[in-house]
Amino acid sequence: MRAMVDLPATLGVEGWAELFGSASVGLDHLELRDSYALDTEDERYLWWREHRAELPREEHPWWDLTAATAARGVLIRRARIVSVPVTEYIAFEHAASWQNVAAGEHLRWLPRSRASDLLVPGNDFWLIDGERVLFNLFDGEGRPTGKQFTDDAEVVKAVGASFTAVWERATDHAEFRLG
């Protein structure tokens, strides 16, 4: 087994561009947390708290990167395992997720109660072309603490099987209701 390579908590715009640019077939992303660190003074969050509606379009390099990657023919899939009823953070995230889809991501949601018999890694991850894995590490408050990268065939195979199992059971974003 090859060792995990530890990376900084944030990749920056250039790091994400390099990661997405390295994909030629697919990027699969699994999110497992019910809450991630959030600036409660963020204007988009404050707008959502007031309106409790789908968030307006946001200009951000992430959407440009996602759209450009999808335009190259890379299949981008994101699956989220969430507790139901959902946390306020997940409700906020759901309200912004239309932009993930509009940028070219395929997005599905799986209630945690329907995932009990699935084996999933302990951390969120990105699976790149079914050959490499980037794990995202967080503290208990949902703040990024680091990343780990591996191309170990056994880890990649297990992560791929995990993602496939979640994806097949999850509900498409357009049909998923918060409860």
Side-chain angles (χ1 to χ4, degrees), residues 9 33 35-38 137-146:
R33 297 182 56 85
S35 181
Y36 295 85
L38 175 66
L137 310 177
F138 299 93
D139 69 12
E141 300 297 320
R143 292 180 296 258
T145 60

Side-chain angles (χ1 to χ4, degrees), residues 46 53 64 69 93 114 119 129 145 150 152 162:
L46 294 171
D64 297 336
T69 303
E93 190 173 60
R114 295 193 54 229
L119 300 178
D129 289 340
T145 60
T150 188
D152 180 273
S162 169

Side-chain angles (χ1 to χ4, degrees), residues 3-163:
M4 295 280 180
V5 175
D6 292 324
L7 299 172
T10 58
L11 296 180
V13 174
E14 296 81 18
W16 285 112
E18 182 179 334
L19 180 80
F20 275 46
S22 74
S24 59
V25 177
L27 290 164
D28 293 334
H29 184 41
L30 182 61
E31 295 179 350
L32 301 167
R33 297 182 56 85
D34 284 321
S35 181
Y36 295 85
L38 175 66
D39 176 2
T40 56
E41 298 303 314
D42 176 81
E43 65 184 53
R44 289 178 56 80
Y45 177 71
L46 294 171
W47 183 93
W48 175 79
R49 291 278 319 257
E50 181 180 340
H51 300 280
R52 298 291 175 156
E54 202 170 78
L55 281 133
R57 181 176 252 329
E58 175 187 23
E59 297 299 323
H60 192 278
W62 179 262
W63 307 120
D64 297 336
L65 176 60
T66 301
T69 303
R72 289 192 296 109
V74 176
L75 177 62
I76 305 171
R77 302 185 301 175
R78 180 186 303 256
R80 293 177 171 145
I81 298 177
V82 297
S83 299
V84 177
V86 299
T87 62
E88 184 165 290
Y89 179 88
I90 293 298
F92 168 66
E93 190 173 60
H94 188 270
S97 291
W98 70 269
Q99 203 161 349
N100 293 67
V101 175
E105 282 190 21
H106 300 264
L107 174 59
R108 292 186 181 178
W109 301 78
L110 181 62
R112 194 170 308 282
S113 63
R114 295 193 54 229
S116 296
D117 61 334
L118 300 180
L119 300 178
V120 296
N123 295 300
D124 292 10
F125 64 80
W126 285 91
L127 177 63
I128 305 106
D129 289 340
E131 298 173 348
R132 297 163 282 145
V133 181
L134 178 71
F135 291 100
N136 296 320
L137 310 177
F138 299 93
D139 69 12
E141 300 297 320
R143 292 180 296 258
T145 60
K147 297 192 181 311
Q148 293 175 325
F149 180 83
T150 188
D151 61 359
D152 180 273
E154 290 181 31
V155 174
V156 169
K157 181 179 177 182
V159 164
S162 169
F163 186 87

